[in-house]
Amino acid sequence: MNEPDDKLRARLQAWRGLEPRAGFEAEVWRRIAASPAPALEWFEALREWFGLQPLLANAAALLVAVAIGLGSVLTLAQPQHERLTLNTPTLHGQTLAGNYLALTTGGPR
């Protein structure tokens, strides 16, 4: 894989002497500027269609917002399981030590 390749070495030596023609860089930049930017045609068509109908675009945005909001409410509204808490005068049930005590003793007595 790392063996010297005489043919490649000769080509690389010959390439070093080559100079690009005058105005080569300007021609490359002109061709880059002239080429159309790649775009998603379906996205452009959808954007143009919604641009012609702003009421429909606002309704679609509202529908998406409601769907996201409803989805987040439904996923966060999970029933919480009853926590084992032990309420004593020294260890309140909402502290880490109180919860640990309730867990190890089998719940409040």
Side-chain angles (χ1 to χ4, degrees), residues 19-92:
E19 289 293 323
R21 66 180 184 269
F24 176 75
E25 185 177 356
E27 179 68 22
V28 168
W29 284 112
R30 186 193 62 76
R31 288 177 59 191
I32 289 172
S35 67
L40 299 173
E41 293 176 11
W42 62 270
F43 181 72
E44 292 295 326
L46 186 66
R47 190 174 73 174
E48 182 179 328
W49 188 73
F50 273 124
L52 295 176
Q53 302 174 7
L55 183 63
L56 187 59
N58 288 337
L62 181 65
L63 183 65
V64 168
V66 166
I68 289 172
L70 202 67
S72 63
V73 166
L74 291 177
T75 56
L76 293 177
Q78 300 286 332
Q80 294 184 357
H81 299 288
E82 184 179 321
R83 296 174 59 175
L84 293 174
T85 58
L86 182 65
N87 289 318
T88 65
T90 56
L91 292 176
H92 190 266

Side-chain angles (χ1 to χ4, degrees), residues 5-23:
D5 189 359
D6 294 331
K7 192 175 180 181
L8 175 63
R9 188 180 310 246
R11 296 234 179 189
L12 288 174
Q13 292 295 333
W15 181 63
R16 286 187 185 155
L18 294 178
E19 289 293 323
R21 66 180 184 269

Side-chain angles (χ1 to χ4, degrees), residues 86 91-104:
L86 182 65
L91 292 176
H92 190 266
Q94 298 302 317
T95 63
L96 181 63
N99 284 333
Y100 179 73
L101 185 61
L103 181 69
T104 56

